[in-house]
Amino acid sequence: MTTHFISAEIDLQETPAELLEVIKTELKKQGEPLRWAITSVDVEEQKATVEAVVTKSAECC
């Protein structure tokens, strides 16, 4: 198992609950999230930057 630091840009959603689901879905594409945080929000562009540490299974052979 390996850990990776990732950064993702997420479109802001109508509600906090929707934003949370979008963030979780996007992070799952990269691996299993250990921790994550919204590190910046661009109100004009309606984007949030999320930084996370994820784990990935080591690929065999």
Side-chain angles (χ1 to χ4, degrees):
M1 190 173 293
T2 59
T3 59
H4 301 274
F5 177 81
I6 63 166
S7 182
E9 194 171 79
I10 307 291
D11 291 329
L12 294 179
Q13 304 296 310
E14 292 294 320
T15 68
E18 289 175 334
L19 180 59
L20 179 59
E21 287 305 311
V22 170
I23 291 170
K24 287 180 177 181
T25 300
E26 187 63 31
L27 293 179
K28 280 286 202 180
K29 293 177 186 176
Q30 303 293 325
E32 185 63 36
L34 294 177
R35 64 180 179 90
W36 60 269
I38 297 174
T39 57
S40 68
V41 175
D42 185 334
V43 177
E44 290 179 11
E45 296 290 324
Q46 293 291 296
K47 302 266 186 195
T49 301
V50 176
E51 295 179 350
V53 175
V54 299
T55 58
K56 293 183 182 182
S57 298
E59 295 181 25
C60 179
C61 314

